Amino acid sequence: MVVRAAVAGASGYAGGELLRLLLAHPGVEIGALTGNSNAGQRLGALQPHLLPLADRILEPTTAEVLAGHDVVFLALPHGQSAAVAEQLGEGTLVVDMGADFRLKDAGDWEKFYGSPHAGTWPYGLPELPGARQALKDTKRIAVPGCYPTAVSLALVPAYANGLAENDAVIVAATGTSGAGKALKPHLLGSEVMGSMSPYGVGGGHRHTPEMIQNLSAAAGEKVTVSFTPTLAPMARGILATCNVKAKPGVNAEAVRAAYEKAYADEPFVHVLPEGQWPATASVYGSNAVQIQVAYDESAQRIVVISAIDNLTKGTAGGAVQSMNIALGLDEATGLSAIGVAP
Amino acid sequence: MVVRAAVAGASGYAGGELLRLLLAHPGVEIGALTGNSNAGQRLGALQPHLLPLADRILEPTTAEVLAGHDVVFLALPHGQSAAVAEQLGEGTLVVDMGADFRLKDAGDWEKFYGSPHAGTWPYGLPELPGARQALKDTKRIAVPGCYPTAVSLALVPAYANGLAENDAVIVAATGTSGAGKALKPHLLGSEVMGSMSPYGVGGGHRHTPEMIQNLSAAAGEKVTVSFTPTLAPMARGILATCNVKAKPGVNAEAVRAAYEKAYADEPFVHVLPEGQWPATASVYGSNAVQIQVAYDESAQRIVVISAIDNLTKGTAGGAVQSMNIALGLDEATGLSAIGVAP
Amino acid sequence: MVVRAAVAGASGYAGGELLRLLLAHPGVEIGALTGNSNAGQRLGALQPHLLPLADRILEPTTAEVLAGHDVVFLALPHGQSAAVAEQLGEGTLVVDMGADFRLKDAGDWEKFYGSPHAGTWPYGLPELPGARQALKDTKRIAVPGCYPTAVSLALVPAYANGLAENDAVIVAATGTSGAGKALKPHLLGSEVMGSMSPYGVGGGHRHTPEMIQNLSAAAGEKVTVSFTPTLAPMARGILATCNVKAKPGVNAEAVRAAYEKAYADEPFVHVLPEGQWPATASVYGSNAVQIQVAYDESAQRIVVISAIDNLTKGTAGGAVQSMNIALGLDEATGLSAIGVAP
Amino acid sequence: MVVRAAVAGASGYAGGELLRLLLAHPGVEIGALTGNSNAGQRLGALQPHLLPLADRILEPTTAEVLAGHDVVFLALPHGQSAAVAEQLGEGTLVVDMGADFRLKDAGDWEKFYGSPHAGTWPYGLPELPGARQALKDTKRIAVPGCYPTAVSLALVPAYANGLAENDAVIVAATGTSGAGKALKPHLLGSEVMGSMSPYGVGGGHRHTPEMIQNLSAAAGEKVTVSFTPTLAPMARGILATCNVKAKPGVNAEAVRAAYEKAYADEPFVHVLPEGQWPATASVYGSNAVQIQVAYDESAQRIVVISAIDNLTKGTAGGAVQSMNIALGLDEATGLSAIGVAP
């Protein structure tokens, strides 16, 4: 069986990464590719690495163009997916790579995104408790944000096993592709090379409520998150440093055991051997997640560090992984756990 | 049919890239992995991106360890392949990723490498005239150097079609992985980030006679090459700028036509549409070659620019491509022409 | 008055940065330059950016060579300064850029550095309460570590003003020059470019007790620190993200007011206007410190972010600033608060 | 004597670098700062590294604002300087950092810039034969382009000494700041990091006629130039590889002797000792030029490589150096030959 997939938003980084993965997927045929401001252009001019699609012309993002596909991926700006999705048939698998259907709390959505809440779809992070089951046979998938992917995989075992106090401090570094292709001065190469800088400090980043949602579900109570994202001089990758106070009686062995057990059967999440630390280079271009834990005895704190590729496991790879589950395919079809390094 | 492959020199960058490709190759099973100073270590500590092989232990590079494989890849320091190869059976396909068997002229070998000439094997650059045929059913393959791959593919059509005077000026920028994992001060991250610098200027680089060999074969006469390699602040990629005086009567159309014809049927070499220029990012991690040509009318010179990934098409991908031909497989098996970008 | 200064350890990154600054210092004449493994070499081969000193030859690091200078800077591996310092006369100003004389607690020293404690010298971070006074007329200066510089300047105002609970979580990204010129595989350009990775996680980094010492002094009680350093793909710079629980009743205005007051008269520490965030590029090559604060209302946490150049304010610039005070010069002599950007 | 200087175009990279240098210049007081689209903004928001000027407000670029200064620097888009300059008094020293007054041949100007030729001013590259003399007491200075600075200093000694055939092949790598702050997709950090790519290939780059002008003047006959610029993953720096056929009878010693003699008395141009090669990191943020020569005996070609900082010696440092000459100051006032490395 080969499904036919359309990609709305094929000119951006998320759309480009998705196409890179779909080109290697044995069960997918690439159908319509759409853009908005770029409609009418050759894909080769916009995504020069996607040679087999170089002569494809971007079409406008309309329901007519997207109709007639088995799967439609939406890589659109936040707030635009709902209008498109509701025009697609119920039999079409719609995979939203934007934020529109991630949050359960309408108030959170409105506070952080400023538009009416569109609803909630099954959440495309199969490694979370219960998530894989909810993705089976679904026709609607909300792909998680890149930071919430890295952070939730890092901290859910701590909370699900009652190891941590509910006050998480998270600092994450991201590659610049996480900010997309927007033409903003601070994203120019001259500005980012050789520089680290923070943004969205103090609780303002839109991915914060999504992290809180995932961690609170695991903890069974509201978890507070203080999240600081930073921009690093690299194109891809997220390194998330997650620091939580250990509950009384917790020790290093208990922490390690919880993580090794949580991910023992996961194809893409790897708890590294003691002494080895995650590096974003090791997961470059792959769907892998590298995790390591430490127990800071002096501070009685648990430090969990995860590394992902923001465009792959953090966006397009996570989308394909969830699509595979929804379609009844082997979850790892078309995906690799091997990074492109050095 | 699945062949069993050993890799001698699995701890270096070339060996690591080869393993990345072989892990995705449907016709190859990975056998023994060897190192020298690293024998006894877990591969996971040396190549943390190769998760499926993390628990493999490196063995010493001996004929006993390498025996019993269908294919043996040698990723050894220059001058060490011959001694290993002669202990391997004639029925074993030996793919040498070092320089030992590339040069036909013993004097060139001795001048540039300083040791006795070991011989010449079929040359693993199938896109060169006659090369593909020579690789069929061979049991010995000499994988080209990374710079000669980029430069020969850029200039052979000009020489094979009589378009250029035999005095080539070449300046190429390489990523630091081209220098390997050697612990040298000038390869430290602090030194290379934010810096461009040349090396081996004035005819001293060991890849120069290999370029001359390939270009002279195409021209039917001795071609002079002045080659300047430069080290660029990136891990991977070669951008080769090749500049040759046009023969009288040559014009832009003739140049473009020759290149488009030369590579019309090649799966990995792409002459870009006019107005689009190669970028190493577009071929990152792929076996693709991007080429563009320009005719500098004022100087009556032909400028050909090629971009490759030095570790993939420039080394390990070229090795797999040639192995595929020697084994009678589809040449592109296990290889991708799609870069990992941005 | 011009003082004559010797530099022990002139071949490393700290020594090189110090020489860059001393060359621009109107009150300093550069005397003997020493190395150990590099003794006998031209400085031009080791520090090619220091053109005016290119023909200087490194001498061995001995008391005889260092004698007869007004100031001796020690940029030596940890544990080697004491033996050299005790051979220098009491009238010589000795500025130790290593760790040997930073820690007051002998137990901390022995736990983290594994050798006998050599003592404690006046601490070269004049912006700390009381520190400037202690540096006046001193003949011995212990230059702080780069991370403690960034972190102490970021958090001391919070603790000195009773704003924060005594449980600090700190994540800092450093450029690779912070690891020195040591030839280690993980410091190769091929490894660090495009990659973020942590190290010394869980309380093991040697700079942790120094931070605790400074923050505890400001708080008047023992402060717990959980510190995670990460290596960023850049040559220079530290971005420190410091996160502390706010004490009850604290609000955003109180936090900002405390910081603006603390640094109102400091020539090198700048609390940025609201809405502007520190970037390491902005302080590149300068002695400036950029600080910004945020109050995360949802988590009731204070987030303070500081950016420094690890080699300048974090090491050599801090050393010169403290030397200026000890010599009775204007504190900013020979130092710049202007970064080299972009 | 302190002169008062205005800077038109203070928000761009050239303007920012100029202000960095002027802030350290003992003979200059900074007057009006102007922008166009940025008029009304705080400089601190646009140039966060220029802390002492953070609260300055950009004014519009008008003759009224620029009037009343001793020196006016024009860092404006090409073609806009002439209109501003003619409104400034003849007694004002006008330093044009754009291209408007560099070319002598009106036809070249019109062909490459597409607007009427404004004239020719004394050329601000004092190291060229006769140039220093022409700058003395001048009130108008045309600052050279960054590439022509690197290339002319590299090749003029070869041509002035009759060593080279008049057919130069030049390949240069530039940092991204050379392209300015323009918001173009190919200048985004995600695109440039990890990538090398060419542009303006085949004779189209606007700096080509300026190189030809300088080299031809030195040779006494028309020199042909085939110039290929490439964009490198770094913010600053130009590495120019210049390759010319040697005239009969030329040898390595003659080449070296010519270069050492040409620059023996220059404060900023350094011919490196044999065996040491230029690196852009070594001249980062400085006004220094590093040059090395090689004679490629096999190809009978001379290879000259130069490294500069495109923003400093290539633009703003060259402007200050020429201003110093015009004002009768020591040529090196306020300028450094020491790079910021690593």
Side-chain angles (χ1 to χ4, degrees), chain B residues 13 176-177 180-185 187-193 232-235, chain C residues 13 176-177 180-185 187-193 232-235:
Chain B
Y13 290 145
T176 53
S177 63
K181 265 190 193 174
L183 295 177
K184 296 175 182 168
L187 297 177
L188 286 174
S190 300
E191 304 289 326
V192 297
M193 286 186 286
M234 58 190 191
Chain C
Y13 290 145
T176 53
S177 64
K181 264 191 194 173
L183 294 177
K184 296 176 182 168
L187 296 177
L188 286 174
S190 299
E191 305 289 327
V192 297
M193 286 186 286
M234 57 190 192

Side-chain angles (χ1 to χ4, degrees), chain D residues 123 125 144-154 210 214 289 306 308 313-315:
Chain D
Y123 193 66
L125 193 54
C146 50
Y147 285 126
T149 295
V151 167
S152 303
L153 294 174
E210 191 179 342
N214 293 345
V289 184
S306 63
I308 64 167
K313 178 59 177 170
T315 306

Side-chain angles (χ1 to χ4, degrees), chain A residues 13 176-177 180-185 187-193 232-235, chain D residues 13 176-177 180-185 187-193 232-235:
Chain A
Y13 290 145
T176 53
S177 63
K181 265 189 193 173
L183 295 177
K184 297 175 182 168
L187 297 178
L188 287 174
S190 300
E191 303 289 327
V192 297
M193 285 186 285
M234 58 191 191
Chain D
Y13 291 144
T176 52
S177 63
K181 264 190 194 174
L183 294 177
K184 297 176 182 169
L187 297 177
L188 286 174
S190 300
E191 304 288 327
V192 297
M193 286 187 285
M234 56 190 193

Side-chain angles (χ1 to χ4, degrees), chain A residues 277-318:
Chain A
W277 290 93
T280 62
S282 298
V283 297
Y284 199 96
S286 92
N287 207 51
V289 184
Q290 290 195 342
I291 289 181
Q292 184 55 289
V293 294
Y295 179 66
D296 186 334
E297 196 166 349
S298 162
Q300 291 177 285
R301 286 185 160 274
I302 300 168
V303 188
V304 191
I305 296 182
S306 62
I308 64 167
D309 185 316
N310 60 303
L311 289 180
T312 323
K313 179 60 178 169
T315 306

Side-chain angles (χ1 to χ4, degrees), chain D residues 266-315:
Chain D
E266 288 296 339
F268 293 115
V269 187
H270 299 261
V271 180
L272 295 174
E274 282 192 74
Q276 192 177 341
W277 290 93
T280 61
S282 298
V283 297
Y284 200 96
S286 91
N287 206 50
V289 184
Q290 290 195 343
I291 289 182
Q292 183 55 290
V293 294
Y295 179 65
D296 186 335
E297 197 166 347
S298 162
Q300 291 177 285
R301 286 185 159 276
I302 301 167
V303 189
V304 190
I305 297 183
S306 63
I308 64 167
D309 185 316
N310 59 302
L311 289 180
T312 323
K313 178 59 177 170
T315 306

Side-chain angles (χ1 to χ4, degrees), chain B residues 316-334:
Chain B
V320 170
Q321 185 181 355
S322 296
M323 175 199 76
N324 286 340
I325 296 171
L327 295 175
L329 301 173
D330 182 293
E331 188 171 330
T333 309

Side-chain angles (χ1 to χ4, degrees), chain C residues 67-337:
Chain C
H69 293 83
D70 303 299
V71 186
V72 175
F73 290 93
L74 303 177
L76 302 172
H78 299 315
Q80 300 189 2
S81 297
V84 175
E86 67 188 16
Q87 299 182 64
L88 300 170
E90 289 187 4
T92 306
L93 173 55
V94 183
V95 184
D96 184 24
M97 297 162 77
D100 296 28
F101 297 95
R102 293 172 189 161
L103 295 183
K104 293 178 179 161
D105 186 290
D108 276 349
W109 172 267
E110 285 158 23
K111 179 179 167 195
F112 280 88
Y113 291 91
S115 60
H117 189 224
T120 313
W121 288 356
Y123 193 67
L125 193 53
E127 294 87 354
L128 292 195
R132 187 171 274 118
Q133 190 59 35
L135 291 166
K136 284 187 181 153
D137 299 320
T138 184
K139 291 296 182 187
R140 294 292 185 269
I141 298 171
V143 179
C146 50
Y147 285 126
T149 295
V151 168
S152 302
L153 294 174
L155 283 184
V156 158
Y159 283 113
N161 289 281
L163 303 173
E165 302 290 351
N166 64 12
D167 175 29
V169 174
I170 297 157
V171 179
T174 187
T176 53
S177 64
K181 264 191 194 173
L183 294 177
K184 296 176 182 168
H186 77 284
L187 296 177
L188 286 174
S190 299
E191 305 289 327
V192 297
M193 286 186 286
S195 193
M196 293 282 307
S197 58
Y199 64 103
V201 188
H205 195 282
R206 288 171 165 178
H207 285 175
T208 306
E210 190 179 342
M211 296 176 196
I212 292 175
Q213 177 174 293
N214 293 345
L215 302 184
S216 299
E221 61 177 348
K222 177 72 180 290
V223 171
T224 299
V225 168
S226 184
F227 171 57
T228 305
T230 65
L231 195 65
M234 57 190 192
R236 287 173 175 243
I238 287 178
L239 187 82
T241 302
C242 306
N243 194 308
V244 289
K245 191 86 183 171
K247 287 209 170 169
V250 167
N251 58 24
E253 292 67 34
V255 174
R256 170 161 294 278
Y259 277 79
E260 290 184 344
K261 185 174 172 213
Y263 296 125
D265 298 326
E266 287 296 339
F268 293 114
V269 186
H270 299 261
V271 179
L272 295 174
E274 282 192 74
Q276 192 178 341
W277 290 93
T280 62
S282 298
V283 297
Y284 200 97
S286 92
N287 206 50
V289 184
Q290 289 194 342
I291 289 181
Q292 183 54 290
V293 295
Y295 180 64
D296 186 335
E297 196 166 348
S298 163
Q300 290 177 287
R301 286 185 158 277
I302 300 168
V303 189
V304 190
I305 296 182
S306 62
I308 64 167
D309 185 317
N310 59 303
L311 290 180
T312 323
K313 178 60 178 171
T315 306
V320 170
Q321 185 181 354
S322 296
M323 175 200 77
N324 286 339
I325 296 170
L327 295 176
L329 301 173
D330 182 291
E331 187 171 329
T333 308
L335 296 171
S336 172

